Amino acid sequence: MFDLAIVRGFVYRSGDFFRENVYIKGGKIAAVTSEVLEAREVYSADGLWVLPGFIDPHVHFSLRVGKWTSVDDFFSGSVSAAFGGITTFIDFIDPVKSVAEMEEAFKRRLEEAKSSVVDYAFHATIASPTDAPGDIASKAKELGMASIKLFTTYSSSNRRTYDDYIEELLRLSSEMEFVVVVHAENDEIIKKMEGKNVPPKDHSRARPTIAELSEVLKLAAMAKYHKGQLYIVHISSGITAKEIWERYGDILGLHLITESCPHYFWLDESVYSREDGKLFLMTPPLRSLDEVETLRDYFDAIVTIGTDHCSFMRKEKMEGNFTHGIPQGIGGVEFSFSLMYTLFGPGVIDKFTKNVAKVYGLYPKKGVIEVGSDADLVVFDPDERWFVQSHHSRSDYDVYEGLELHGRVITTLSKGRFVVKNGEFVGEKGWGSFLEREAIRWL
Ligand code: URP
Ligand code: ZN
Ligand code: ZN
């Protein structure tokens, strides 16, 4: 006897939809079949899609940055995520310089994350590291964080990691089985404006496309040369996506993985000139309308979608006059899938599921509907048209408010339990667990 059956839906498997029933036992998928079997509880997904739970590889819950802390903690952030169909997310430990600091930072984050209603993992974050790359990588893996995030910029706040160190990390990444996760902006280009009085309307000029493009191409060259495992976060510009496709298409998916975020597909820099433009400040910035169109055209150059969810209150965003006095980041976990589905249809599914799971060492536990995988599922209505009106984030505003979207998450299950059921939260604080990732090998 199975614990639960999700019946009569169109189940997404191997890139196609099948009219099947999914049977769950002990939190795992136990059978996927067109046969009718006995289960203690039956949930009808008649006519709806049954998708693997989404994996957001890039969120910042309770992020401490300068004098601010992002307002969604692991409880409110994970609830909001669950409403968006996200059953796994990857957050970051606070930036560390050494092996000794890493253990401490990891423990603190683990404690904070205990309230999550869905599963989670962490990237190890380094800033201006002092210990050797190999030692940092060994410690991160030992702690179950086989992905190491760094910044190529922010030298003014002592967070930059320099090229010689990055090159060594990339050289080691395949043989030591970890991923080098990079926030890529050229520090020299940005530095002259950073910390200066940049008004919000000049945000994208102060962090221009060329700063991203030049840095990404250099890193891609290093990854190709060393046959490494390089993951570029939050690609903001269409030109970057196009150039990757044309110059480094041969290593895409092998030695280079590209992530972008829904806001770079939906919004453009003109919002920064609005009276409420500060509400849209994030790094890297929104780009020109031309660039947004190019990014949409080169959607195939993007392997995963992450939200970079990092929300603040309206008051915190509106207070300062210049970009360095305003916390950077916006929310996004609740609507990311519908936003991308509205633009691209079912072609987005793998970028939220299988691709992320494979890139970050979670496959096949996560990211697929197969026997033996965790029963993380999303019931999705592909036909519903709806307006973004409210959310479950703690933030008191949403940049997507009023947008009409196509397709809506109806129900979300994590490890065989309903977290959101027919639009109602029915989850449990602390249901989520930490996912250890000790080794990641792409090839
Ligand atoms: O503005 C953003 N994205 N804040 C979060 C930190 C980062 O750089 O991803
Ligand atoms: Zn970043
Ligand atoms: Zn981020």
Side-chain angles (χ1 to χ4, degrees):
M1 168 87 85
F2 297 102
D3 299 331
L4 175 64
I6 309 293
V7 299
R8 291 191 293 280
F10 294 93
V11 180
Y12 184 79
R13 297 210 287 157
S14 312
D16 225 327
F17 291 93
F18 301 90
R19 191 109 208 217
E20 290 176 325
N21 306 320
V22 181
Y23 293 94
I24 296 162
K25 197 173 172 63
K28 302 269 182 200
I29 295 170
V32 187
T33 172
S34 52
E35 283 174 52
V36 176
L37 306 173
E38 240 183 286
R40 256 186 290 278
E41 187 182 354
V42 176
Y43 177 90
S44 172
D46 202 7
L48 304 172
W49 290 359
V50 181
L51 307 175
F54 308 142
I55 307 166
D56 191 331
H58 188 162
V59 305
H60 300 281
F61 298 148
S62 296
L63 175 74
R64 291 169 277 273
V65 55
K67 61 178 181 181
W68 303 282
T69 302
S70 62
V71 292
D72 278 314
D73 62 14
F74 282 82
F75 178 66
S76 66
S78 65
V79 170
S80 186
F83 274 96
I86 293 163
T87 52
T88 302
F89 59 85
I90 314 184
D91 204 299
F92 301 77
I93 62 164
D94 287 337
V96 297
K97 292 191 185 319
S98 62
V99 166
E101 284 176 14
M102 192 181 288
E103 182 125 18
E104 194 66 20
F106 170 71
K107 281 192 191 142
R108 182 163 52 174
R109 217 63 184 134
L110 204 55
E111 193 56 38
E112 288 171 338
K114 275 187 178 151
S115 59
S116 178
V117 303
V118 296
D119 285 353
Y120 50 89
F122 301 129
H123 302 291
T125 313
I126 56 171
S128 208
T130 48
D131 282 347
D135 295 340
I136 287 279
S138 296
K139 189 67 185 177
K141 290 179 65 195
E142 184 194 311
L143 294 169
M145 302 182 291
S147 47
I148 301 172
K149 152 86 179 292
L150 57 89
F151 306 93
T152 62
T153 187
Y154 300 131
S155 60
S156 51
S157 47
N158 208 22
R159 285 183 288 162
R160 176 172 172 184
T161 298
Y162 285 82
D163 286 357
D164 55 340
Y165 197 97
I166 301 175
E167 198 224 330
E168 180 64 1
L169 271 180
L170 282 169
R171 192 181 69 74
L172 295 172
S173 58
S174 291
E175 66 180 70
M176 282 187 71
E177 305 188 321
F178 66 90
V179 179
V180 183
V181 181
V182 183
H183 170 128
E185 288 182 291
N186 184 290
D187 198 50
E188 275 82 26
I189 294 176
I190 288 172
K191 214 157 52 183
K192 58 182 183 290
M193 299 296 278
E194 211 162 45
K196 306 281 176 347
N197 287 346
V198 176
K201 70 172 177 46
D202 291 335
H203 184 45
S204 51
R205 269 190 290 278
R207 305 185 88 98
T209 290
I210 188 62
E212 176 178 271
L213 175 63
S214 54
E215 204 63 22
V216 167
L217 292 181
K218 179 179 69 188
L219 293 164
M222 288 185 196
K224 183 170 179 170
Y225 184 81
H226 286 302
K227 298 187 170 53
Q229 304 195 126
L230 170 66
Y231 184 102
I232 305 284
V233 295
H234 53 43
I235 287 174
S236 61
S237 111
I239 292 177
T240 307
K242 179 173 185 287
E243 292 285 314
I244 285 173
W245 187 251
E246 288 171 359
R247 293 168 190 249
Y248 289 102
D250 59 331
I251 60 162
L252 206 52
L254 306 174
H255 300 296
L256 171 64
I257 298 291
T258 44
E259 171 201 282
S260 188
C261 319
H263 42 272
Y264 299 121
F265 291 87
W266 271 95
L267 304 167
D268 71 89
E269 63 189 4
S270 65
V271 296
Y272 294 134
S273 300
R274 282 170 32 175
E275 217 169 291
D276 64 350
K278 296 170 186 176
L279 299 179
F280 296 81
L281 284 177
M282 83 287 287
T283 301
L286 299 170
R287 303 295 178 190
S288 69
L289 209 47
D290 264 6
E291 289 249 36
V292 173
E293 274 166 26
T294 308
L295 186 61
R296 289 182 179 193
D297 289 344
Y298 282 85
F299 185 54
D300 288 348
I302 301 299
V303 181
T304 68
I305 300 294
T307 58
D308 200 4
H309 181 101
C310 188
S311 53
F312 293 92
M313 301 306 269
R314 174 182 287 272
K315 188 168 177 292
E316 294 172 298
K317 296 289 273 192
M318 293 302 284
E319 229 156 40
N321 289 324
F322 302 107
T323 55
H324 70 275
I326 301 169
Q328 299 287 311
I330 60 166
V333 283
E334 195 153 337
F335 308 117
S336 57
F337 187 81
S338 289
L339 284 162
M340 297 307 286
Y341 175 79
T342 301
L343 293 178
F344 300 104
V348 301
I349 298 170
D350 288 350
K351 297 179 200 285
F352 279 82
T353 55
K354 189 180 71 183
N355 293 4
V356 192
K358 284 189 169 171
V359 165
Y360 279 130
L362 296 167
Y363 186 86
K365 182 177 170 68
K366 306 288 187 186
V368 276
I369 301 179
E370 293 299 342
V371 170
S373 298
D374 280 357
D376 290 1
L377 299 169
V378 175
V379 180
F380 183 75
D381 182 348
D383 298 320
E384 185 168 340
R385 287 174 178 240
W386 57 292
F387 290 90
V388 175
Q389 271 163 343
S390 62
H391 61 205
H392 298 81
S393 157
R394 288 221 176 101
S395 176
D396 54 358
Y397 79 97
D398 202 297
V399 296
Y400 302 113
E401 194 175 337
L403 267 186
E404 187 186 13
L405 297 182
H406 298 181
R408 190 169 200 171
V409 172
I410 306 294
T411 287
T412 303
L413 291 107
S414 159
K415 296 175 289 187
R417 276 185 65 166
F418 291 100
V419 182
V420 173
K421 192 174 187 183
N422 302 325
E424 294 290 322
F425 180 69
V426 293
E428 182 188 326
K429 203 173 198 166
W431 176 250
S433 11
F434 172 63
L435 302 165
E436 275 185 61
R437 302 164 304 119
E438 280 169 7
I440 299 173
R441 185 93 202 214
W442 288 350
L443 294 176

